[in-house]
Every structure is written in structure tokens, then in C-alpha cells.
Amino acid sequence: QWVSNDPATAARHHANLAGLTINQARREIVTALETEGAIEGEPEKLRRPVKFYERGERPLEFVVTRQWFVKILDKKKALLGQGHKVAWHPAVMHKRYQDWVEGLNQDWCVSRQRYFGVPIPVWYGVAADGTVDYSSLITPRKEDLPVDPSAETPSGFSSDQRGQPGGFVGDPDVFDTWGTSSLTPLIVSGWPDDHARHGALYPNDLRPQAHDIIRTWAFYTITRSYLEDGSIPWKHAAISGFILDPDRKKMSKSKGNVVVPTDTLDQFGSDAVRYWAASGRLGWDSAWDPKVLKDGRRLTTKLLNAARLVYGYGGDPGEVAAPLDRALIARLQSAIVQITKRWDAWEHQNALALAETWFWSDLCDNYLELSKGRAYRSDPSAIATLRLAMGVVLRLFAPIVPFMTEEIWQTVAGQKESVHVAPWPTAEELPAGEDDGCFNAAVEVLTQVRRAKSQAKVSMRFPVRQLRVSGTEAQLGSLKLVMEDVTETGNVADYELVADGAAESLVAETQLDESEAGKRA
């Protein structure tokens, strides 16, 4: 785009520079400028920032060579439109794609000078004087693809004509990484060999990838599909962040802070690693945190132990009728709705947090204890509630910890098919639940009983001689529905409910059985 004022002089100086090293060219440029009277004063050495190869000690040098380009600058408006057809998660990541397209200033260079890669399938004719005639392009037939021009001969030529006058040479370049990886949605769908499969699977549903290659992998995949047939390659793009080291620094082999995945998998297991990954938000960087990995391993252990307890109870399930059981079902129905909403909103980390809260608190800490007495007696309502709840829990956690949930689903729960083909749980599949405050009332009183025993440094099964609970009429009414479960779980011999219209919450006064019989018990 720069027009020379003196083409002859410019060409002469250019010829003097051709083939020189960087240092030689610098000296020649100074000499040429002095000859033309284009320097004022004496030349001085300057220091300026230059880019270096990360493992080298010399500045980068730009070498101008022949390259293959795909024209895209004239398609920027269309490519912006294609980006709007994809649902980005989180939505803010669409702005990165948009900024990249709007800032394009050159066409797509699809060729690379590397030893390994997919060859560019073309040859060039060799002129009579032995020089390569790049205007004489020889292309393969469609039915001959794929072709390696460095090893195969074009139609109409013999192998002994390679590199000879009147013969041919193969293009030595390979495709850009993104020139081939942009085909991944088409490869997955079976294009172009299986059109039925392609029609069923294309566009793909999801592209999961990191945010740093929106400008490359995402952009060039969208571009490749648009150039092929005007389509989009996938409906959704889930954009993750970087994995940082425990100090929240980017991992780098040169820094020596890379965490080797195989060691972590051996130490914590695959489910714990998936749990850690699912704890991070889309679009945000996540630190490699051993504590979160331990939490994941703890979750898988708790799932197994809880399932063994639930499915170890004898008896047949019946109608969910007890107030405590109906309350748990109601809370589970609410949890299913909220967790499903989070999944639908692409907030897997919030879905996991909600599922964990319900599992650890409502089920394990509270209901398993409150229902244990009835479950040991094979109460049909308790057995039905426990199995329904555990079946839902396993499906809620299956996307996060697939291996442990599958193991429990088949070997502990005795299901024949995989948990991963079971339907996602819905509130409608459960029997009608009703929670009029009795669950919270039971938990509130039982928590205070446990606290009293803990302060007295006795076991949770230590007998309580007298339990006095005060609260409003409404609070006590809810508590009465589950008082049998509370007294059996807390090992309470006798209790008294006292109405207090000014009470903000239930207050439990616990008198432990300090008699010799109580201590022996």
C-alpha cells in the first residue's frame, strides 16, 4: 500500500539487503541512508522492546513467505450475525467473539510451515528452466482426497517427474491448527460420509472450551461452517476459565507450578476431580484446590454410606403417610425444581451446591436420624420415603460424580440399567408432599437436644429424663406432628410442651438422666 517516490533507487537498495542477516542488514541500511543523505547527525544505538521466542535468546525475525489465505474480511458482517445465532454461556463471552470479528484486519491464513499436520493437497508445475511456477496450480480430484502431495503423484504425471522441468512439486505446507480443528463438529456428525447421521447430529448441541481460544477455535469453527453451507456448528458454547495453581497463578511448565493430573486422579479419584471442576463457574478461572478435592471424595464416601444404610433396611415400601415423611418429600420436590432451574440456566456450580445442601442437611444430618427408629422397624412410610429420596439423590449427582453414583445405582440399589439412562428427576414423579413447618420444628428441637448432650460431653444416645419445649401455639402444633420421631431419636423419656405467645422460636430445655440406670443406658 506504500508507493515509492523513486522505484529504481528503492529496488537497488532492496537488492542490496536481500539475503543479509539481521545485523548485516542493519549496517547496510545505515550506509544506504548516509549515501542518500537521509540521516541527520551521527547514528546512535537505541534500546527498544522487541519480542523474543520464549526459549530463545535472539529477537524474532519476520520471514516473508508464500501462504494460503481464505477471504473473510468481506464477510465480517455475516460472521457477526452467525455469532448471534449461538447461545453463549456465560452470555458476556459473546462480546469477546464480537470484538474479535470487528477487529479483524487480515484474511485467514490457513497454511503453516511445520513438519506435522494435515498436508495442503495441491501441486505446482515446474517450468522448463526448473523454477516452480506457482501460477500453474494442480489440484486433486475430489474422489482422490485426502492427498499428501509430498508422497503422491497428481493425475497425468509420473513419480519420476517430481521436481523436474515440465514436472511438478508438492506444496510443502500443512494446514493451520484451526484449519483442521474447525472441522470437529462435522467429524462428530459423520459428514460427509453419513448424511443421515449428519442430519441428526448437526448442528451439534454444545461446544465446551476455554475463553482464551474464542478468537481461534470458536471463531474459525463458526467461520468454517458458515463458508461450507451458511450453518452454525453448534447451538450452545460453554466457555470455561483457566485452571490456576493453588496460589491462583497461571500454570506454566517454565514456572514449574504445573499440577500433574494423573497424580491427583490417583490420590483423590475421578469423581473428586469432576466435583472440583463442577464447583467452578463458567467463564471464571478456578484454582486447583486440594480442599475441594477432599470435599469431593468425602461426598462420594457419604453417598455410598447413606445408600448402604437406606437400602439395608428391611421391609417393603408403602404409602408416604407420616407427617415427617411427607414434609421431606415436599422439601425434596422444591429442591428438584430449584436444582433443575440452575442446570437449565447453565449454572452447574449452583446446581451442585443446592444438591449438596439438601443431601447433607435435610437427608443425612436430619432425616436419616429422625426416621431411623421407624426404619429399623420396617415402617412402610419411612422405607418408601428413604428409597424415593435416595433414588432422586443419585440421579441429581450422576452428572457430577458419575462413577460412584453408577456403582451405588447398580450394586447397592439393585437397578439393572445405568443411572445415566434413567430419567432426570421431577417433582411430579414423587407422591404428594406437605410441609407445614413440622420438619423445621423437629430439626430445631433435636439440634438443641444434641447441643445439650455435646456440652455435657455425653453420647448422642444418652437418655433424656425430661424435655421441656416452649413456643407459640402454631410452632407447637407443627412440633406435635413429629414429636414421636423427636423423642425416639433423642432418647427422651418424657416431654412437656409449653405455650408462649411471645416466643420467636422453639426453645428446648433438656434434663439428662443422671441416675445410675440412665448412665448405664
Side-chain angles (χ1 to χ4, degrees):
Q1 60 267 36
W2 295 292
V3 179
S4 175
N5 293 326
D6 187 352
T9 302
R12 175 167 52 83
H13 287 304
H14 183 274
N16 292 335
L17 293 172
L20 299 182
T21 65
I22 292 177
N23 289 331
Q24 290 171 340
R26 285 174 179 163
R27 291 192 291 269
E28 178 62 30
I29 288 171
V30 172
T31 300
L33 291 172
E34 288 176 333
T35 301
E36 298 294 334
I39 292 182
E40 293 183 2
E42 291 296 319
E44 296 178 4
K45 289 186 177 181
L46 298 176
R47 294 180 65 87
R48 66 188 66 190
V50 295
K51 293 185 178 181
F52 281 72
Y53 175 54
E54 64 177 339
R55 295 188 181 88
E57 298 179 354
R58 299 184 63 180
L60 290 177
E61 179 182 1
F62 290 94
V63 179
V64 179
T65 58
R66 296 180 57 85
Q67 304 292 340
W68 283 92
F69 287 84
V70 174
K71 290 185 178 295
I72 57 174
L73 286 179
D74 59 346
K75 303 174 181 66
K76 291 170 66 171
K77 184 177 180 180
L79 293 174
L80 287 170
Q82 293 299 97
H84 283 289
K85 297 177 183 178
V86 175
W88 299 81
H89 308 283
V92 68
M93 288 299 167
H94 175 239
K95 186 68 167 59
R96 294 202 185 186
Y97 171 87
Q98 184 175 337
D99 288 346
W100 177 255
V101 176
E102 291 175 344
L104 287 173
N105 57 14
Q106 68 177 37
D107 289 318
W108 179 11
C109 179
V110 295
S111 54
R112 292 293 184 273
Q113 294 69 55
R114 293 173 177 160
Y115 292 106
F116 303 105
V118 177
I120 293 180
V122 298
W123 300 265
Y124 306 101
V126 178
D129 61 0
T131 60
V132 178
D133 182 3
Y134 290 103
S135 64
S136 175
L137 190 65
I138 306 170
T139 58
R141 297 175 300 180
K142 184 177 180 180
E143 57 268 24
D144 293 335
L145 293 172
V147 164
D148 180 359
S150 66
E152 299 177 47
T153 303
S155 179
F157 292 84
S158 59
S159 59
D160 58 2
Q161 289 180 280
R162 183 180 295 274
Q164 300 300 314
F168 68 93
V169 293
D171 193 310
D173 291 351
V174 297
F175 276 106
D176 162 36
T177 297
W178 313 111
T180 51
S181 62
S182 61
L183 287 167
T184 46
L186 296 169
I187 294 172
V188 167
S189 69
W191 177 91
D193 302 318
D194 190 337
H195 289 287
R197 175 183 171 89
H198 177 66
L201 298 180
Y202 188 86
N204 295 174
D205 189 58
L206 173 64
R207 155 64 64 82
Q209 66 165 71
H211 56 70
D212 59 320
I213 50 176
I214 290 175
R215 64 182 181 85
T216 47
W217 197 22
F219 168 70
Y220 288 124
T221 306
I222 292 173
T223 300
R224 174 64 178 78
S225 295
Y226 173 73
L227 294 175
E228 179 63 37
D229 57 9
S231 64
I232 55 170
W234 8 258
K235 303 169 187 174
H236 299 270
I239 309 299
S240 63
F242 288 139
I243 300 174
L244 308 178
D245 74 2
D247 296 326
R248 300 201 66 82
K249 296 179 181 178
K250 186 178 179 181
M251 293 190 192
S252 169
K253 287 187 287 185
S254 61
K255 292 181 180 179
N257 64 341
V258 173
V259 176
V260 180
T262 51
D263 295 341
T264 306
L265 290 168
D266 291 340
Q267 181 180 359
F268 296 100
S270 300
D271 277 345
V273 175
R274 288 178 63 97
Y275 172 90
W276 164 82
S279 300
R281 294 170 57 187
L282 284 177
W284 291 72
D285 297 339
S286 300
W288 193 248
D289 190 346
K291 180 184 179 301
V292 179
L293 293 162
K294 292 177 182 177
D295 290 342
R297 187 170 59 186
R298 177 169 166 260
L299 172 64
T300 60
T301 302
K302 190 66 175 181
L303 281 169
L304 179 60
N305 291 338
R308 285 173 173 170
L309 176 65
V310 167
Y311 293 105
Y313 290 128
D316 296 323
E319 180 185 357
V320 177
L324 183 70
D325 303 340
R326 288 169 60 83
L328 183 83
I329 292 297
R331 296 170 75 90
L332 179 54
Q333 288 171 323
S334 177
I336 292 172
V337 171
Q338 294 303 315
I339 292 167
T340 304
K341 283 183 178 179
R342 299 283 73 76
W343 276 111
D344 289 342
W346 296 78
E347 297 175 6
H348 56 261
Q349 79 287 354
N350 289 333
L352 172 59
L354 288 171
E356 275 200 285
T357 298
W358 192 90
F359 171 68
W360 284 103
S361 179
D362 280 12
L363 184 61
C364 295
D365 292 346
N366 297 313
Y367 183 76
L368 288 184
E369 294 300 318
L370 285 165
S371 65
K372 189 175 291 184
R374 288 187 293 122
Y376 274 123
R377 296 193 299 273
S378 300
D379 175 71
S381 178
I383 297 300
T385 305
L386 286 165
R387 294 184 184 178
L388 286 170
M390 202 67 217
V392 169
V393 163
L394 291 175
R395 285 178 285 161
L396 289 176
F397 281 113
I400 308 297
V401 286
F403 300 103
M404 180 56 78
T405 50
E406 179 75 343
E407 178 73 15
I408 296 172
W409 187 259
Q410 295 198 26
T411 63
V412 181
Q415 300 290 337
K416 294 181 179 180
E417 292 189 341
S418 170
V419 68
H420 303 298
V421 298
W424 182 254
T426 63
E428 292 73 23
E429 75 181 54
L430 297 174
E434 182 180 4
D435 183 7
D436 53 4
C438 65
F439 192 93
N440 283 338
V443 170
E444 196 171 352
V445 172
L446 186 61
T447 298
Q448 295 181 57
V449 172
R450 286 171 171 170
R451 185 183 302 121
K453 292 181 179 181
S454 178
Q455 291 172 347
K457 298 181 180 181
V458 298
S459 75
M460 292 298 106
R461 290 301 302 161
F462 195 90
V464 175
R465 182 173 60 84
Q466 179 71 29
L467 177 65
R468 184 176 185 272
V469 183
S470 58
T472 64
E473 290 289 350
Q475 293 166 347
L476 295 178
S478 297
L479 180 62
K480 287 177 184 178
L481 298 174
V482 292
M483 202 60 200
E484 183 179 341
D485 294 308
V486 173
T487 55
E488 184 171 13
T489 304
N491 198 9
V492 177
D494 192 19
Y495 69 90
E496 178 185 8
L497 303 181
V498 180
D500 181 359
E504 295 183 359
S505 60
L506 292 169
V507 176
E509 300 174 21
T510 304
Q511 295 181 16
L512 301 178
D513 189 346
E514 298 292 348
S515 68
E516 286 300 317
K519 292 178 180 179
R520 288 196 298 273

